[in-house]
Amino acid sequence: MSNELLKIKNLKTSFRIDDEYYAAVDDVTLTLNKNEILGIVGESGSGKSALAFSIMRLHTRAKIEGEISLNNQNIVKMPKSKLNKIRGDEMAMIFQDPLTALNPLMPIGRQIEENLFLHNKKLGQQGRKKRTIELLNLVGIPRPERVYEQFPHELSGGMRQRVIIAIAIANDPELLIADEPTTALDVTIQAQILDLIQELKQKIHAGIILITHDLGVVAEMADRVAVMYAGQIVEIAPVDKLFANPLHPYTRSLLNSVPTEGQDRLHVIQGVVPTLKNLPRTGCRFAERIPWVDASHHEENPDLHEVEPGHFVRCTCYKHFYFPDNKEEQENGVS
Amino acid sequence: MWKFIVRRLLITFPQIVFLSVLVFIMAQLMPGDALTGLIDPTITQEALEIQRERLGLNNPWYIQYADWVTGLVQGDLGQSYRFKTDVTAVISERLNNTVLLSVVALVFTYLIAIPLGLISGRYNDSPLDSAITGYTYLGFATPIFIFALVILWIFGYQLGWFPTSGSVAPGMQPGTMEYYLSKLNHSLLPGISIALISVVGTVQYLRSEIVDTKQKDFIITARAKGASENRVYNRHIFRNSVLPIAAFFGWEITSLITGTVFVERIFGYPGMGLLFLESIGQRDFSVVTALTLLFGIASILGALLSDIILGMVDPRIRIK
Ligand SMILES: Nc1ncnc2c1ncn2[C@@H]1O[C@H](COP(=O)(O)OP(=O)(O)OP(=O)(O)O)[C@@H](O)[C@H]1O
Ligand code: SF4
Ligand SMILES: [Mg+2]
């Protein structure tokens, strides 16, 4: 138990749209251990960022219910002043778009130093500068003394993402949330940034939540994976188990939509994640995207339950599920 | 930065030349010429012709233009028909007053506009914001002279807190402390009148900049560092929103000019604006021409100043 860093229980994050609340994160329960990378995958709009922002409490207008505890401190109920002590110190975040996440009018050095200043008052001005240069070095920025004085627009996207990572790790956070840290970058730069995160994990021993919609990234980096669909976690398992034995139809469709060698068929499920307002609020949220499964097989309100140690799935009738073009599955799977 | 300033100055020069040509053409189109104000009306036509020839008034336009510019550069703005002295002398007396009035107006403008814009933007859609925004709409819709009249009536006549006309109390010894205080006192009411109107644009602009900036991603980054709301506003939102106001500064100078013209009239404040109106009324065209030129140059220099300020505060412009 002492290994547990973050614990989320029945988290529900709702936004107000036209005088009504709609949950973008619904009944999410998960834990993250120290020194562990939890991958979160899901299509665009499935609520990954909404979950990450809830943990950091960065939503300005959202209703958050449930429990989020970091080192046994409940973040949901925490007063702002206490929260500000934790943010940037115990927990930190790397953002999706490095081009907009830095203040355009502040030199790079000052943006990193701000984080040091806020949480480490003992460090004087000299100490802050020294540590900043050290951090710039650590994240692999060449000529850090020069970059220290530069402004964001003078750096490339990849360099800016490194700066954002430097800000995030400035105070050796215990929890690091990376929200699609490479989506906005070129492929070659993506690999470098991921390597950097991997490397940092070893150095700062943080628990990392890595949000992505790239299953390849998850396979390579994560220890465990959570699959999100329409605000819910539909399956969560150690990475090898999930890839070897995906259970939820959505996970399987995701895995199958990644082309691999020797596979001639792609199982792509039609449709997209419904928008918040149009989300089905009763019954299984995924049901409407697999219309070929008989209605009697769908579950009313599936719960996340453990099918194997560490392997949870929010679907009880997955055994009935099959892809329509897969004969074998159809023959064996359907009752 | 220096390269930027030099480049910006190089643009200013042709602007001023263009302005001078325009004003020159305007002066040519006006009835009368340099002689009209000076001469005994009973003079014969031949004598007049001789004088015209002597003053170069029959030369082709470009020579006249060159002469005119040469005069300008040497501070010769012609003769005032009304005052029977050099236009330069007439104007310089009034220039000080208008500069004082403008500075007072500017100081009050920013003193009022920045807090209002900040509050309005930070607490947008609150009752306080609605009140401030309501005022700006009122300010937009109301002509400046109505504001000035109301203020003059309340604070000048009803309450008697401020003098109601002139630029200094009579009988003051120039150079004494009392003299300067009296000058300042006379400029306050007209200055505030101008400010109350000219804040409108700045408040609305600042408000929308703040509302815009506070939704930017880098604000989320700042919050994620654990910066308090006050720090987020002061260090990140405020600075990034005030920047464009610097660009507004040049326009502020232009609007000041129109402001002073009307307000000086209402407060009987002897500045360039009042002089301008009087000179039009009395057909003192050499003064009108000179003032137009000065107002134009002030606008151009205002824009220059804004750009330089903007360049100093915004690194993105500085580099380019
Ligand atoms: N502040 C908000 N107000 C209202 N709706 C929101 C807000 N933030 C997110 N949503 C909605 O919540 C849902 C989940 O959005 P979220 O940004 O978490 O998705 P995501 O999984 O991060 O997607 P992406 O991969 O595109 O980043 C979407 O339908 C989105 O429109
Ligand atoms: S519970 Fe049933 S309807 Fe829901 S995902 Fe599983 S198979 Fe589909
Ligand atoms: Mg997202």
Side-chain angles (χ1 to χ4, degrees):
Chain A
M1 262 292 126
S2 65
N3 212 20
E4 187 179 279
L5 174 67
L6 176 75
K7 187 173 161 190
I8 299 177
K9 239 179 112 181
N10 306 116
L11 176 69
K12 183 169 176 179
T13 302
S14 330
F15 298 111
R16 200 183 160 133
I17 306 170
D18 306 332
D19 290 333
E20 247 184 278
Y21 281 97
Y22 295 90
V25 176
D26 204 352
D27 193 27
V28 164
T29 296
L30 60 81
T31 55
L32 175 73
N33 293 327
K34 289 174 183 157
N35 238 329
E36 181 187 42
I37 296 187
L38 172 69
I40 296 184
V41 287
E43 285 163 283
S44 199
S46 54
K48 306 181 298 293
S49 295
L51 171 61
F53 273 53
S54 302
I55 300 171
M56 295 287 292
R57 251 183 68 187
L58 286 170
H59 291 299
T60 41
R61 287 172 199 202
K63 189 167 79 180
I64 300 184
E65 295 154 284
E67 190 190 323
I68 303 172
S69 30
L70 177 69
N71 287 327
N72 292 318
Q73 318 158 82
N74 190 351
I75 290 170
V76 178
K77 295 270 157 55
M78 195 174 276
K80 265 264 163 93
S81 54
K82 179 85 205 297
L83 183 68
N84 282 334
K85 289 212 174 76
I86 291 185
R87 277 177 182 168
D89 192 18
E90 276 178 58
M91 61 179 177
M93 185 158 168
I94 301 168
F95 296 92
Q96 197 160 344
D97 188 354
L99 299 186
T100 55
L102 291 171
N103 187 335
L105 301 184
M106 211 186 249
I108 299 296
R110 285 221 350 247
Q111 307 204 34
I112 301 173
E113 283 178 355
E114 182 174 33
N115 206 12
L116 296 169
F117 170 81
L118 287 167
H119 300 288
N120 195 346
K121 302 278 186 224
K122 278 183 303 209
L123 221 56
Q125 207 194 322
Q126 291 300 314
R128 281 199 294 273
K129 176 157 186 185
K130 194 165 154 268
R131 170 80 176 135
T132 299
I133 302 282
E134 203 177 287
L135 283 163
L136 288 171
N137 257 322
L138 192 65
V139 296
I141 288 182
R143 288 180 300 156
E145 276 89 3
R146 191 174 138 73
V147 172
Y148 179 89
E149 317 249 320
Q150 279 181 314
F151 288 91
H153 69 271
E154 298 172 75
L155 303 184
S156 68
M159 283 298 140
R160 285 191 229 183
Q161 192 59 298
R162 285 171 196 268
V163 170
I164 291 163
I165 294 174
I167 293 174
I169 62 166
N171 298 306
D172 295 327
E174 295 174 59
L175 169 65
L176 184 61
I177 303 174
D179 186 2
E180 304 194 36
T182 58
T183 308
L185 303 173
D186 295 342
V187 187
T188 46
I189 312 290
Q190 282 185 14
Q192 294 173 10
I193 295 288
L194 290 170
D195 284 348
L196 174 63
I197 292 176
Q198 188 86 274
E199 203 180 294
L200 288 172
K201 184 201 157 196
Q202 254 110 60
K203 279 191 185 135
I204 65 176
H205 306 293
I208 298 177
I209 293 182
L210 178 64
I211 296 173
T212 173
H213 42 230
D214 187 339
L215 283 163
V217 169
V218 166
E220 202 176 307
M221 311 249 315
D223 302 306
R224 280 190 305 135
V225 197
V227 180
M228 272 187 94
Y229 181 80
Q232 297 179 322
I233 289 182
V234 294
E235 188 161 3
I236 182 166
V239 71
D240 43 343
K241 275 193 187 158
L242 189 101
F243 279 89
N245 185 22
L247 296 177
H248 195 281
Y250 180 61
T251 315
R252 294 171 66 188
S253 79
L254 277 183
L255 286 177
N256 276 314
S257 59
V258 180
T260 48
E261 244 178 300
Q263 198 179 29
D264 49 351
R265 277 189 300 261
L266 283 186
H267 306 284
V268 183
I269 289 187
Q270 299 300 309
V272 290
V273 185
T275 62
L276 271 195
K277 274 180 90 164
N278 301 327
L279 218 55
R281 296 289 154 179
T282 53
C284 178
R285 293 184 177 186
F286 197 62
E288 64 180 33
R289 287 181 70 180
I290 41 171
W292 61 85
V293 171
D294 192 85
S296 62
H297 294 318
H298 288 317
E299 192 160 328
E300 264 302 289
N301 234 334
D303 241 346
L304 200 62
H305 60 275
E306 197 162 16
V307 284
E308 260 184 86
H311 192 160
F312 296 79
V313 62
R314 188 187 282 276
C315 174
T316 42
C317 41
Y318 57 85
K319 292 193 187 93
H320 301 301
F321 175 77
Y322 60 91
F323 284 104
D325 57 350
N326 192 330
K327 285 242 167 54
E328 204 185 317
E329 275 196 355
Q330 280 187 40
E331 278 151 17
N332 304 336
V334 189
S335 52
Chain B
M1 187 69 207
W2 285 113
K3 246 163 87 186
F4 167 75
I5 293 180
V6 168
R7 205 139 19 107
R8 188 59 187 76
L9 279 172
L10 287 181
I11 305 173
T12 308
F13 188 68
Q15 281 178 329
I16 290 181
V17 171
F18 184 65
L19 172 76
S20 74
V21 172
L22 276 186
V23 172
F24 178 73
I25 293 172
M26 189 190 89
Q28 296 298 304
L29 293 178
M30 280 183 189
D33 55 37
L35 281 178
T36 320
L38 291 178
I39 301 169
D40 177 1
T42 58
I43 194 169
T44 62
Q45 199 58 39
E46 294 91 77
L48 190 67
E49 258 324 296
I50 292 164
Q51 285 291 338
R52 290 181 68 88
E53 194 59 44
R54 191 175 64 78
L55 287 170
L57 293 175
N58 293 333
N59 288 341
W61 69 269
Y62 48 89
I63 302 218
Q64 288 197 41
Y65 173 71
D67 288 346
W68 182 70
V69 170
T70 315
L72 287 183
V73 172
Q74 291 165 351
D76 175 12
L77 293 166
Q79 296 281 309
S80 161
Y81 149 76
R82 179 156 72 113
F83 296 93
K84 308 283 183 242
T85 61
D86 288 354
V87 172
T88 318
V90 175
I91 289 180
S92 61
E93 227 174 80
R94 308 291 193 100
L95 185 65
N96 291 336
N97 286 338
T98 294
V99 167
L100 175 66
L101 179 60
S102 304
V103 170
V104 168
L106 268 183
V107 168
F108 276 105
T109 300
Y110 288 115
L111 230 49
I112 300 169
I114 290 179
L116 287 188
L118 280 181
I119 292 170
S120 191
R122 177 164 178 176
Y123 304 105
N124 63 322
D125 302 330
S126 70
L128 203 56
D129 170 44
S130 306
I132 294 170
T133 315
Y135 171 75
T136 63
Y137 288 139
L138 185 76
F140 251 136
T142 319
I144 189 162
F145 64 88
I146 294 189
F147 253 77
L149 282 174
V150 170
I151 283 176
L152 177 64
W153 185 73
I154 296 176
F155 296 99
Y157 290 108
Q158 293 310 116
L159 296 172
W161 290 354
F162 294 96
T164 54
S165 82
S167 73
V168 67
M172 287 283 173
Q173 196 61 42
T176 61
M177 196 64 196
E178 286 81 15
Y179 175 82
Y180 289 119
L181 284 178
S182 168
K183 285 213 95 146
L184 187 64
N185 195 24
H186 278 75
S187 69
L188 286 180
L189 217 44
I192 292 172
S193 302
I194 295 173
L196 283 180
I197 289 291
S198 66
V199 292
V200 165
T202 311
V203 169
Q204 289 195 343
Y205 205 80
L206 191 53
R207 178 187 186 276
S208 72
E209 276 301 316
I210 287 177
V211 170
D212 196 46
T213 309
K214 71 183 182 185
Q215 296 166 353
K216 295 258 166 81
D217 283 353
F218 67 85
I219 300 304
I220 298 174
T221 309
R223 291 208 179 98
K225 288 179 194 172
S228 68
E229 267 325 84
N230 279 334
R231 190 182 169 90
V232 168
Y233 272 89
N234 296 337
R235 297 292 164 117
H236 295 276
I237 299 179
F238 181 49
R239 189 188 143 115
N240 290 270
S241 307
V242 162
L243 248 184
I245 300 292
F248 241 55
F249 190 75
W251 294 105
E252 212 69 77
I253 288 181
T254 319
S255 78
L256 264 184
I257 291 167
T258 30
T260 50
V261 170
F262 290 106
V263 166
E264 285 181 4
R265 160 131 223 166
I266 286 161
F267 287 88
Y269 186 86
M272 299 211 296
L274 186 60
L275 180 64
F276 186 68
L277 289 182
E278 287 170 354
S279 302
I280 290 178
Q282 306 223 4
R283 301 175 173 277
D284 195 355
F285 292 116
S286 49
V287 174
V288 172
T289 307
L291 286 175
T292 310
L293 188 66
L294 281 182
F295 288 154
I297 290 176
S299 306
I300 292 174
L301 292 183
L304 171 70
L305 196 61
S306 305
D307 281 359
I308 292 179
I309 294 175
L310 198 60
M312 287 195 293
V313 280
D314 191 337
R316 284 166 300 190
I317 292 178
R318 199 188 313 161
I319 304 298
K320 265 186 245 150

